[in-house]
Amino acid sequence: MEAPVLRLPLSPHHPTPLPCPAPGLTRNLLLGPLIALLLALVAGIAPARALEGKDGSGTLLLRSEGGAPVEAPRLRADAAITVSGPTARATITQAFRNTTAEWVEGTYLFPLPEDAAVDTMKLVVGDRVIVAEIREREAARRAYEAAKAEGKAAALTEQQRPNLFTNAVANIGPGETVLVQLEYQQPVRQSGGTYALRLPTVAAPRYSPAPPAVTAVVDGVSAADPVPDRRTIAAPVLDPARHAPINPLTLTVDLKAGFPLGPVRSATHAIRVEEVSGTKRRITLADGATAADRDFELTWAAAAGAAPSVGLFRERVAGGEAVLAVITPPESASPVAPVPRDVVFVIDNSGSMGGASMRQAKASLLIGLDRLGARDRFSVIRFDDSFDTLFPDLVPADEAHLDQAKRFVAGLEARGGTEMLAPLRAALRDTTPEETGRLRQVVFLTDGAIGNEAQIFSAIAAERGRSRLFMVGIGSAPNGYLMRHAAELGRGSFTEIGTPDQVTERMRALLLKLESPAVTDLTATFSEPGVDAAPARLPDLYRGEPLALPARMEQARGTLTLAGRIGGQPWQKMLQLDTAEAGAGIGKLWARAKIAEAETARLTGRLSAEAADAAILRLALDHGLTTRLTSLVAVDATPRRPEGARLVSTDLPLNLPAGWDFESVFGEGEAQPLPTPPRQRRAAPASPFATQFAAAQPVALPQTATDFEIRAWLGGLLLALGLGLSLCRRRIAA
């Protein structure tokens, strides 16, 4: 994949003045250089003007493989989301507009919520609508490639991660606009009485650890590539200092809460809220189309006294019924005295955290330190492509140690790669496993911009011990898949801090959870036989964190009993399933949860790769879902591209997530050397870190190169021509 090439105006080429010009010839001598200068300027400025498109998104010239540079298709997107109680149904329409005279294939990398069940794709070309089929991944790819070669319009949607997808669209005609429309189902999140919907709009650049060729040289051993698909999760990224934002997005949310609504807000975007009824709202972006450079978040709460404590919904699906139970632990259940804690704070200070993210992470960690009690112990680890532990082991949370930790945190700067595995293992390492009277907690602050999620999940499953892992997603576009799944495996929770003004409120909410008793040893028992629920192993619950449990059964009847312990005391809740309200999309949510469970079982060794893949494939094909093993492909029946006409392929560029610092991520010069393996060392408090800057960047860097050499030669030639003509005229005149 080649990087985008933007054509910029050349600097004027100044001619060397001639010595002692003859009187009367000054005008002639200057005429040639002036003409040359003007021609050079015109030649340089013309492409720059082409950068400014009518919609302000600009023209992006990308080098196609083996061919001349070609303009990338323009992209616009529209999101229409309907929230119905505990679920949301979203339709994402991407418009690819080809402004060139070429036939184009465009490939676009984009994010979706990590728990989205993608089940529908349509390709719209002119007045034709082609509905996609779900197929095994390789079969879908073959069908797409065949259609592309035959000159047919075609689209292919592939999952690269549960929250990261690509759309490839083939044979977009000159001057043509084609639409790709995706639909998915997702659950609505709830925490502390607040309901939340999040739509990621930009795929953040990800750091991928070095491939095995490098590690083998360093370690003397071979290993599997931690990111075997590193090329598929990379895309060109534009430097916001050089380019205006692209890929504008419009958005509408029809909110049908199912209960009287209180405040409806967005912390990430300015919104317009229209009150349709007491339980319904219509939300749009106040500023219209907006740049796709940050997650969109919408939150709402029930009107005072109207919050439901239990939600129970069901849906008739082929062969049975799907049920979704949402149960919130009681606020009143709490222990008599708080349990002393051992807390390990881990902070990511890699390059992607540069700018606002670093400030948010440091502020969050400082709040966490201030909340430690006199009986608590703690430590701090920071990491980029190396990591440091502040103390050799856990230390008491007394004034001296806290002051030392605060100075350590205050001195952090964002730089380097994101080698997350080694510091994670260091944080999970438990030197006092026999001290079961203390809660062991790991608070991990990062944007999660990595490509080796599977390594991280495997490490958590194998080494979590009695620790609870609390992931704190920092920045405008954190990797929600990594965060949420790591927290689930670590039996903790996931908190997102997207803006500076959310730091205090959300860290306080998280710390209250840490200090509050968890509902542990949680079990779910159905009175009727033959019920298939997901997940089979229930996580711990924290105050204000409800349990969402989808299940499938022949008929929704009998009871569901949840039981556990809060502060050492037994806790139980029983639900009558035949009282469930009608819901939509619950069957697909259940299938998505079963697929995630099978993926986890594969990573942790509870299922062989073959058995897990077979289960995932069966679920995906039965429910028409896009997964690691299945894709959606749409192919038109009739060839469109004339025989012999070339097809050029481009990767559409992305914005840099808002608040990121381009140079901290990509550097200023050529590609950085590959990283050395991470190492542990004792930190020197409040002193600069002698870390190595070694970043294996998985993202193709924008090169911003121009053909200035050709233009310089042209300018010089014209200059020489002008001077020659002037000298000839001088001789003739003499």
Side-chain angles (χ1 to χ4, degrees):
M1 180 175 58
E2 297 290 340
V5 176
L6 299 181
R7 301 187 181 281
L8 303 175
L10 292 172
S11 298
H13 188 90
H14 299 290
T16 303
L18 290 175
C20 302
L25 290 180
T26 304
R27 182 178 58 189
N28 293 333
L29 288 173
L30 293 177
L31 185 60
L34 182 60
I35 292 174
L37 177 62
L38 290 174
L39 287 173
L41 282 173
V42 169
I45 289 172
R49 285 179 175 167
L51 291 170
E52 300 173 359
K54 292 180 180 179
D55 56 5
S57 60
T59 295
L60 299 157
L61 297 178
L62 306 179
R63 291 194 185 280
S64 61
E65 188 173 355
V70 62
E71 183 179 338
R74 309 275 180 84
L75 180 76
R76 285 179 174 272
D78 176 76
I81 305 173
T82 299
V83 177
S84 303
T87 62
R89 181 76 180 174
T91 301
I92 309 294
T93 304
Q94 296 171 346
F96 296 83
R97 184 159 65 92
N98 175 13
T99 60
T100 74
E102 303 273 4
W103 288 81
V104 169
E105 177 197 34
T107 301
Y108 182 54
L109 181 71
F110 64 100
L112 288 178
E114 64 277 4
D115 47 6
V118 182
D119 58 12
T120 301
M121 187 261 277
K122 296 172 185 171
L123 173 64
V124 182
V125 182
D127 58 356
R128 293 178 56 77
V129 179
I130 304 107
V131 179
E133 299 178 16
I134 189 79
R135 297 189 188 181
E136 290 190 43
R137 186 173 181 127
E138 291 306 315
R141 169 60 69 175
R142 288 195 298 271
Y144 173 80
E145 294 294 342
K148 183 175 77 173
E150 293 167 4
K152 298 176 181 176
L156 177 68
T157 301
E158 293 181 319
Q159 175 186 301
Q160 309 303 339
R161 296 287 187 278
N163 65 339
L164 196 59
F165 293 76
T166 51
N167 260 344
V169 187
N171 293 310
I172 309 173
E176 191 174 56
T177 296
V178 302
L179 306 179
V180 176
Q181 193 172 77
L182 289 169
E183 296 182 32
Y184 66 82
Q185 198 84 20
Q186 73 171 121
V188 170
R189 298 285 174 183
Q190 181 188 350
S191 177
T194 299
Y195 299 78
L197 182 75
R198 198 170 188 92
L199 175 69
T201 71
V202 62
R206 299 190 179 197
Y207 176 89
S208 294
V214 174
T215 57
V217 169
V218 175
D219 296 339
V221 296
S222 60
D225 189 343
V227 193
D229 60 347
R230 62 185 66 229
R231 290 186 179 279
T232 64
I233 61 172
V237 178
L238 298 183
D239 182 353
R242 296 171 179 267
H243 312 286
I246 58 171
N247 306 341
L249 170 78
T250 54
L251 183 146
T252 304
V253 179
D254 286 312
L255 173 59
K256 303 172 184 175
F259 48 77
L261 276 163
V264 177
R265 299 191 177 98
S266 174
T268 58
H269 291 71
I271 58 173
R272 182 181 297 110
V273 181
E274 177 186 352
E275 183 172 338
V276 179
S277 71
T279 61
K280 299 178 183 177
R281 301 287 188 275
R282 184 176 177 82
I283 298 98
T284 53
L285 296 175
D287 300 326
T290 185
D293 64 355
R294 71 195 69 193
D295 291 3
F296 170 79
E297 182 190 74
L298 184 71
T299 60
W300 61 96
S309 60
V310 174
L312 193 59
F313 307 88
R314 65 180 177 182
E315 179 189 36
R316 171 62 61 180
V317 293
E321 279 191 295
V323 172
L324 177 64
V326 183
I327 305 100
T328 304
E331 290 282 339
S332 58
S334 60
V336 175
V339 179
R341 298 178 296 144
D342 292 339
V343 185
V344 182
F345 295 96
V346 185
I347 183 169
D348 175 358
N349 70 292
S350 62
S352 65
M353 296 286 288
S357 295
M358 196 69 248
R359 293 192 294 274
Q360 291 172 33
K362 291 162 69 171
S364 301
L365 205 161
L366 292 174
I367 291 174
L369 292 173
D370 282 338
R371 293 288 299 194
L372 291 173
R375 296 197 298 158
D376 295 338
R377 300 182 301 200
F378 78 105
S379 187
V380 180
I381 297 174
R382 70 96 220 155
F383 73 95
D384 42 49
D385 47 41
S386 65
F387 74 95
D388 297 291
T389 56
L390 178 56
F391 305 111
D393 202 348
L394 294 167
V395 296
D398 54 32
E399 185 175 349
H401 287 113
L402 288 173
D403 286 345
Q404 188 176 350
K406 290 176 182 177
R407 291 196 300 273
F408 176 80
V409 174
L412 294 178
E413 295 179 1
R415 54 191 181 186
T418 315
E419 293 284 356
M420 187 180 291
L421 185 61
L424 171 69
R425 284 177 164 159
L428 293 176
R429 191 172 302 124
D430 185 1
T431 58
T432 57
E434 72 284 357
E435 294 188 86
T436 54
R438 304 179 67 88
L439 292 177
R440 192 173 198 282
Q441 301 169 334
V442 176
V443 181
F444 208 105
L445 302 106
T446 179
D447 58 15
I450 60 167
N452 58 325
E453 292 99 328
Q455 276 190 320
I456 301 299
F457 298 150
S458 296
I460 295 170
E463 303 172 29
R464 63 192 172 196
R466 65 187 179 103
S467 299
R468 299 296 188 264
L469 179 59
F470 297 85
M471 301 297 292
V472 182
I474 299 292
S476 59
N479 181 353
Y481 167 53
L482 171 77
M483 299 290 182
R484 196 172 300 283
H485 200 52
E488 289 171 356
L489 284 172
R491 291 169 293 180
S493 66
F494 168 36
T495 300
E496 292 171 292
I497 298 178
T499 60
D501 59 358
Q502 293 178 328
V503 170
T504 302
E505 173 198 349
R506 298 201 173 181
M507 278 304 293
R508 182 174 292 121
L510 170 62
L511 295 166
L512 282 174
K513 272 190 243 175
L514 296 178
E515 297 160 8
S516 302
V519 180
T520 58
D521 304 324
L522 192 62
T523 60
T525 306
F526 290 85
S527 61
E528 296 294 312
V531 178
D532 190 354
R537 181 181 180 182
L538 300 181
D540 293 342
L541 293 185
Y542 292 86
R543 193 167 70 178
E545 291 281 345
L547 169 69
L549 181 66
R552 180 162 178 167
M553 60 197 73
E554 184 176 337
Q555 186 175 355
R557 62 187 180 191
T559 60
L560 163 62
T561 301
L562 291 163
R565 301 183 70 81
I566 298 180
Q569 302 299 315
W571 173 81
Q572 182 173 296
K573 185 80 177 180
M574 180 182 291
L575 305 175
Q576 294 289 337
L577 296 180
D578 56 2
T579 63
E581 299 179 11
I586 296 173
K588 291 187 182 297
L589 292 184
W590 170 81
R592 191 71 183 80
K594 293 293 292 184
I595 289 169
E597 191 176 54
E599 291 283 16
T600 300
R602 178 178 66 88
L603 290 172
T604 56
R606 287 189 289 112
L607 273 181
S608 67
E610 294 76 15
D613 285 356
I616 293 167
L617 189 58
R618 175 175 50 78
L619 285 162
L621 294 176
D622 287 350
H623 295 270
L625 299 180
T626 303
T627 67
R628 176 174 54 85
L629 303 173
T630 54
S631 303
L632 285 163
V633 61
V635 175
D636 200 359
T638 307
R640 308 170 68 247
R641 178 163 49 90
E643 188 172 354
R646 76 165 185 163
L647 177 71
V648 291
S649 299
T650 68
D651 293 299
L652 274 66
L654 305 175
N655 294 314
L656 189 72
W660 283 43
D661 183 72
F662 189 87
E663 291 182 0
S664 295
V665 179
F666 298 105
E668 296 180 82
E670 300 296 327
Q672 300 296 310
L674 293 171
T676 56
R679 61 195 184 282
Q680 181 179 9
R681 65 187 179 201
R682 179 77 185 280
S687 64
F689 307 123
T691 54
Q692 282 195 340
F693 283 82
Q697 303 295 351
V699 177
L701 302 181
Q703 298 298 312
T704 65
T706 70
D707 53 357
F708 73 91
E709 298 94 340
I710 297 175
R711 296 177 187 278
W713 278 107
L714 178 61
L717 183 62
L718 291 172
L719 177 63
L721 181 62
L723 290 173
L725 289 173
S726 298
L727 290 173
C728 287
R729 291 191 60 181
R730 181 181 178 184
R731 288 171 180 166
I732 292 172

